[in-house]
Amino acid sequence: MTGAVAIGIDIGGTRLRTAVVAEDGTVLEQRRRPTPAGEADTLLAALEEEVTAVGGDLPVGIGIAGLVTPDGIVRYGPNIGVRDLSVAAGLEERVGRPVTVINDASAAALGEQRVGAGRGCDDLVLFTIGTGVGGGVVLDGRLLVGAGGFAGELGHLIVEEGGRPCPCGNHGCVEAYAAGSAIGRIATDHLVASDRPSVLRKLPTIDGPAVTRAAEEGDEIAREVLAEVGTWLGVGIASCVNALDPALVLIGGGAARAIAPYALPASREAAAARLLGRRFRTPPPIELAVLGDDAGTVGAALHATARHPATGGGQDGSR
Ligand SMILES: [Zn+2]
């Protein structure tokens, strides 16, 4: 395919997306299927089918929701049901070409930095807001991977010791306040704490999308809930900025756009108020990511080209 440099595959809890990507991040061809459940072999067989269906001999970059070592072993993928699965080596053996594997939010951060909202910015962090809260860090133009490959889990920055329980087993993580399911629980607490009217009171169950819909309709409690979510996110952002000093903070993931009008002003305020030396510096902008559903596939593909250039170009994109 003209201009194609790599195949990017984004393995989420429910959907597996495959894209053929050009050097400038353009998606030239796309495929989607449900993420297979069950055995490791089922996942590797599905990945082989996707790569074979695209054809050619392009390198393959995979982003997966989980903890991934630098040599492409998925230590733990809670939503996909895999543990200690050597995805890179396993797929390389099946398709006979280089395969790189990174965390999905790290892939999205790299995608945004190369061809999205962070183009031209060497130092950025991305928080992804969806079923959970993920994160990715690019510093000096390179994806931060860490000693074990587990860097950038910004959703598990603890913003309140002993706070709300997080699916990771800790309490008070950003994810426990800003993930879709967490938004529903915070809304329920707001409804119990007040007797003001709200359209949310008529609903049998309250989840993140219900809260954002109510906020869009002008519901005051829903807007307060999303402002609280934004504040917690801002507290996490402040720690992240104090540690890493990025030039840009991006918010992406499935729920980002819907919560942004009510949450991001609160995030900016909460982050700015907690920065070290806040009277003597300008806080980095906190903005929406732009690649949407393509961020993971595009980022994973560009990561693969940096590691295994198909066209002789590219530079090492990870360390
Ligand atoms: Zn956590």
Side-chain angles (χ1 to χ4, degrees), residues 155-156 166-171 173-176:
H156 302 281
C166 181
C168 76
N170 286 327
H171 284 74
C173 300
V174 171
E175 178 166 310

Side-chain angles (χ1 to χ4, degrees), residues 25-236:
T26 306
V27 173
L28 302 170
E29 180 185 332
Q30 253 194 106
R31 301 170 51 82
R32 285 176 187 210
R33 64 190 289 168
T35 300
E39 303 297 314
D41 268 0
T42 321
L43 178 63
L44 290 175
L47 292 171
E48 182 184 357
E49 274 176 33
E50 292 300 294
V51 173
T52 307
V54 170
D57 60 355
L58 295 170
V60 179
I62 296 176
I64 186 166
L67 295 176
V68 187
T69 69
D71 51 354
I73 297 169
V74 179
R75 283 280 172 235
Y76 176 52
N79 299 319
I80 296 145
V82 295
R83 292 199 71 168
D84 294 321
L85 175 61
S86 184
V87 175
L91 187 59
E92 273 178 5
E93 200 175 305
R94 287 170 177 254
V95 300
R97 61 178 99 179
V99 177
T100 62
V101 186
I102 51 176
N103 169 268
D104 59 343
S106 287
L110 189 66
E112 293 287 347
Q113 190 262 338
R114 292 289 158 83
V115 298
R119 196 192 301 237
C121 171
D122 278 347
D123 303 282
L124 64 80
V125 298
L126 167 72
F127 287 75
T128 61
I129 316 286
T131 314
V133 177
V137 176
V138 177
L139 291 178
D140 293 333
R142 287 163 177 248
L143 185 67
L144 185 71
V145 174
F150 310 145
E153 288 290 353
L154 306 179
H156 302 281
L157 287 170
I158 292 176
V159 290
E160 189 177 41
E161 177 60 24
R164 290 177 181 271
C166 181
C168 76
N170 286 327
H171 284 74
C173 300
V174 171
E175 178 166 310
Y177 295 89
S181 53
I183 294 172
R185 284 193 290 274
I186 292 174
T188 303
D189 289 354
H190 276 242
L191 294 171
V192 170
S194 124
D195 55 6
R196 285 180 295 152
S198 168
V199 295
L200 296 172
R201 294 190 190 281
K202 301 182 191 118
L203 303 178
T205 56
I206 301 170
D207 55 12
V211 176
T212 51
R213 272 196 303 276
E216 282 159 13
E217 290 164 12
D219 192 90
E220 262 186 47
I221 290 186
R223 290 184 176 190
E224 286 169 14
V225 168
L226 293 179
E228 181 183 332
V229 168
T231 297
W232 289 114
L233 185 59
V235 174

